[in-house]
Amino acid sequence: MDLLAFARGPGMQWATAIFVAGVLWRLVGVALLRRKPDLSAPRVAAKWKGLRLIVLRSWPRKEFLGGTAFTEVMGYVFHIGFLVALFFYLPHVLFFADVAQGLLGVTFKGVFGVAWPTLPGGIIYFASAVSVAALIAVLVHRLVNPVKRLISNFDDYFSWFVTIAPIATGMAAYSHIGAPYQTLLALHLLSVELLMVWFPFGKLMHAFTIFAARGSTGMLFERKGATL
Amino acid sequence: MNPAKTIGERLAEAGVSRRAFLKFCTALASMMALPPAAGPAMAQAIATRERPSVIWLPFQECTGCTESITRSHTPTLESLIFDLVSLDYQETLMAAAGHQAEAVLAAAMKENFGKYLLIVDGSVPLVEDGAYSCTAGRSNLALLKEAAQGAAAIICVGTCSSYGGIPRAAPNPTQAVPVSAVVKDRPIVNVPGCPPIPVVITGVLAHYLTFGNLPELDPLGRPKAFYGETIHDRCYRRPFYDQGRFAKTFDDEGARSGWCLYELGCKGPVTYNACATLKWNAGTSFPIQSGHGCLGCSEPDFWDRGSFYRPLAAADWGSAKTVGAAAAAGVALGAAAAWAARRRQDRFVKEAAAPADRKPEG
Ligand code: SF4
């Protein structure tokens, strides 16, 4: 079995299984934890309003703007570029469509009446390049900023690596740079698999927890009468 | 046959003009990405050589490779192969049969020992000592071992002799293997394809005749000149791929407009072959041009790499069952972790509620 066959077959199967099991382990583990009883009387009746925090926390407060603007902007640039490449590049969409078909027996078109839109390769390449540049910028910032460097651990650096690797290998595969296409495609798939395997166990898990965490914190604050 | 005559003399006898031969060599040189001056040099070198003896052994195969080369239009480059070599043994094409044919084979191997080119199409079955494919009572395995001993080089024509091909597809009941799994001490060049492009076979022979050695090969033993790029690299539908325009079914508007066939399962991006440039049937067309995605037939194990109609991107992520099992395992693990955490909490609460029971610290 060659590298590509491994990456497309057993490698992908194991990575998918570990990803699914790991994510559910983390989510169920947190969801079933016993909450600390809050014995004080609620200050506000509609604590649901606290969900606003999900949105409010998505940009910096004015007071901190000077200190966090760079990280925030780069964070947005990276995430948008990454998500564009992930969800609007046809081969990726075909992969997700195949998974949806296999798990739920539905196609996007079958449910919504239109096919999932895709973007030309050039735009995807540009989005990926921007994303890589932003990732490099935040790494440099992390390394030169003494406070950030102090609070960074293996998880931060490794999560950064497994994030940039699929984008970089994907770009190399798209433009056939550095090795035969099959090798590049295999490396791209293997890097995605590494990302999937690491995902539930490191900080990348924030993709699944961030909004729930903000929401529950917001509700707690609201209940206590704090200004959001 | 009298092998003493040069190829040039024989071509002249056959009515092939010097000019036509020069054109043939120039075309081959350009296909092999050699500089333009290489054409005349090639013509000169080939014309002055004697025809090499060629023994063609068909093993576990469908004769498609032979069909491919013999059914090609005449007079074309590919048909010239028969003027360039002395084809001493080829079961499908030779007039002799039975014991006569076997005697021809034995004589050719003896007379040209160490010098003949061995062409093989078809894979070699190993199970039961190779009993699944025999000629004149002898297994392909035994015949290959014997014929390889006196071969100057071996050319594997087709995916079966190159990589095992369809006979080797799972569950491979005959334990079919490629020639390279049996013969280790002879130069081997693979010309895969199901079938291979006829002119590529001719090209390899012409290279051998010109330079006296085999062309530069890629890691899978294929001549780089013909297998150096993927179908996707040279596909005329590539601009549509880059623009994100894909045919969704074989008869939709996209298909009619010649859009990319990636979504319909085209394996062009991972297939190294020259179909997109050399094409088939005297340069008329190739599968993608006639509306069907590439099957990847010149790659090892192409038959077992999933459906021909499943997009390349749809990797084998498992099934609803495997993902369901992983999900169940994840939920169980999560529940167990939460249960353990709750027990710890309970212990804390209990200990906190009964401070009197605790021994004073210090
Ligand atoms: S039809 Fe196949 S080889 Fe041609 S551009 Fe599309 S994917 Fe590539």
Side-chain angles (χ1 to χ4, degrees):
Chain A
M1 180 180 291
D2 61 25
L3 201 62
L4 181 59
F6 171 79
R8 293 189 71 212
M12 185 55 82
Q13 284 165 19
W14 277 103
T16 308
I18 293 171
F19 176 79
V20 169
V23 165
L24 282 169
W25 165 50
R26 295 280 308 264
L27 291 179
V28 171
V30 172
L32 294 185
L33 278 180
R34 182 179 292 137
R35 304 274 165 268
K36 214 166 76 185
D38 189 346
L39 303 174
S40 65
R43 303 288 168 91
V44 200
K47 61 178 181 175
W48 296 106
K49 277 189 181 168
L51 291 178
R52 276 179 305 146
L53 199 71
I54 296 173
V55 182
L56 292 176
R57 282 277 163 94
S58 297
W59 43 81
R61 293 187 78 98
K62 251 190 239 116
E63 302 88 311
F64 307 127
L65 203 59
T68 59
F70 176 79
T71 314
E72 293 265 348
V73 170
M74 285 300 142
Y76 268 108
V77 169
F78 149 66
H79 277 92
I80 290 169
F82 185 84
L83 294 177
V84 163
L86 180 63
F87 291 118
F88 296 100
Y89 185 45
L90 179 99
H92 300 166
V93 172
L94 289 178
F95 176 78
F96 295 131
D98 190 63
V99 174
Q101 181 74 46
L103 289 184
L104 314 167
V106 295
T107 59
F108 189 82
K109 200 171 179 186
V111 177
F112 297 98
V114 286
W116 185 273
T118 57
L119 289 169
I123 295 180
I124 301 296
Y125 196 79
F126 176 75
S128 308
V130 167
S131 193
V132 164
L135 273 172
I136 292 173
V138 292
L139 179 71
V140 171
H141 192 239
R142 185 182 287 277
L143 289 171
V144 297
N145 183 309
V147 177
K148 275 198 173 175
R149 202 171 58 222
L150 192 67
I151 59 170
S152 297
N153 59 12
F154 171 79
D155 190 351
D156 292 293
Y157 294 113
F158 194 63
S159 296
W160 178 89
F161 172 73
V162 300
T163 307
I164 198 169
I167 318 177
T169 53
M171 288 172 71
Y174 180 80
S175 52
H176 293 208
I177 293 173
Y181 178 72
Q182 276 155 322
T183 312
L184 294 170
L185 184 61
L187 288 177
H188 178 56
L189 289 174
L190 289 172
S191 66
V192 170
E193 285 154 23
L194 182 66
L195 171 80
M196 287 164 76
V197 168
W198 176 248
F199 195 99
F201 308 106
K203 294 189 179 180
L204 296 176
M205 189 62 195
H206 75 271
F208 281 102
T209 51
I210 185 165
F211 296 119
R214 279 182 192 169
S216 59
T217 308
M219 278 160 67
L220 201 69
F221 284 1
E222 190 74 12
R223 188 179 193 281
K224 290 182 175 174
T227 319
L228 294 183
Chain B
M1 283 186 198
N2 177 9
K5 284 186 185 173
T6 64
I7 292 174
E9 286 162 352
R10 286 187 173 276
L11 287 171
E13 275 175 19
V16 179
S17 69
R18 219 190 92 74
R19 192 182 152 76
F21 186 57
L22 200 64
K23 251 175 92 180
F24 159 73
C25 289
T26 310
L28 268 185
S30 87
M31 273 173 212
M32 292 194 273
L34 296 171
M42 230 171 143
Q44 175 73 17
I46 296 175
T48 51
R49 285 192 64 161
E50 284 176 19
R51 299 198 305 171
S53 165
V54 169
I55 294 173
W56 185 315
L57 296 178
F59 290 158
Q60 203 163 230
E61 44 85 42
C62 68
T63 317
C65 297
T66 309
E67 287 283 335
S68 164
I69 194 159
T70 53
R71 298 285 168 126
S72 54
H73 289 69
T74 49
T76 58
L77 303 182
E78 41 274 53
S79 68
L80 276 168
I81 183 182
F82 299 111
D83 297 308
L84 296 182
V85 301
S86 165
L87 192 58
D88 292 335
Y89 183 88
Q90 218 288 7
E91 285 165 18
T92 313
L93 303 177
M94 67 201 297
H99 293 298
Q100 280 180 331
E102 296 317 302
V104 169
L105 175 62
M109 288 204 295
K110 202 169 152 208
E111 268 171 40
N112 304 297
F113 192 87
K115 287 187 291 192
Y116 59 81
L117 280 176
L118 181 62
I119 296 185
V120 177
D121 63 334
S123 61
V124 188
L126 295 183
V127 86
E128 306 283 0
D129 241 351
Y132 279 82
S133 181
C134 297
T135 310
R138 291 184 69 199
S139 72
N140 294 165
L141 185 62
L143 196 54
L144 174 63
K145 281 182 181 167
E146 188 193 334
Q149 279 176 13
I154 303 176
I155 301 176
C156 294
V157 166
T159 304
C160 296
S161 55
S162 298
Y163 308 129
I166 295 174
R168 194 164 188 251
N172 190 5
T174 66
Q175 270 185 35
V177 294
V179 168
S180 57
V182 177
V183 182
K184 304 280 183 198
D185 56 356
R186 286 286 174 276
I188 297 178
V189 53
N190 292 327
V191 184
C194 194
I197 304 173
V199 75
V200 175
I201 308 172
T202 320
V204 172
L205 279 171
H207 186 283
Y208 182 77
L209 288 170
T210 310
F211 302 106
N213 57 20
L214 295 178
E216 199 191 341
L217 305 179
D218 75 359
L220 289 172
R222 303 175 288 202
K224 273 189 182 166
F226 298 107
Y227 296 87
E229 288 175 305
T230 61
I231 301 291
H232 185 66
D233 285 333
R234 304 303 297 268
C235 180
Y236 75 105
R237 297 192 190 223
R238 179 64 184 269
F240 293 116
Y241 175 92
D242 292 336
Q243 290 163 20
R245 294 180 157 182
F246 300 93
K248 310 280 175 194
T249 63
F250 283 109
D251 59 355
D252 68 1
E253 203 45 49
R256 275 191 282 273
S257 314
W259 290 2
C260 172
L261 302 169
Y262 186 91
E263 225 176 306
L264 296 171
C266 180
K267 304 293 181 284
V270 291
T271 304
Y272 289 81
N273 208 339
C275 304
T277 42
L278 299 184
K279 302 195 181 176
W280 290 78
N281 300 326
T284 308
S285 180
F286 74 114
I288 290 173
Q289 194 172 342
S290 48
H292 196 285
C294 167
L295 304 184
C297 74
S298 56
E299 295 296 319
D301 302 323
F302 79 101
W303 202 259
D304 288 328
R305 290 189 168 183
S307 164
F308 293 144
Y309 301 100
R310 207 157 166 246
L312 201 54
D316 212 352
W317 49 270
S319 61
K321 238 191 219 164
T322 55
V323 172
V331 169
L333 267 172
W339 178 74
R342 282 179 176 231
R343 270 180 52 116
R344 248 195 336 266
Q345 281 176 326
D346 287 344
R347 251 200 331 269
F348 265 143
V349 171
K350 218 188 265 167
E351 280 171 16
D357 296 348
R358 266 202 236 151
K359 278 187 189 163
E361 279 171 30

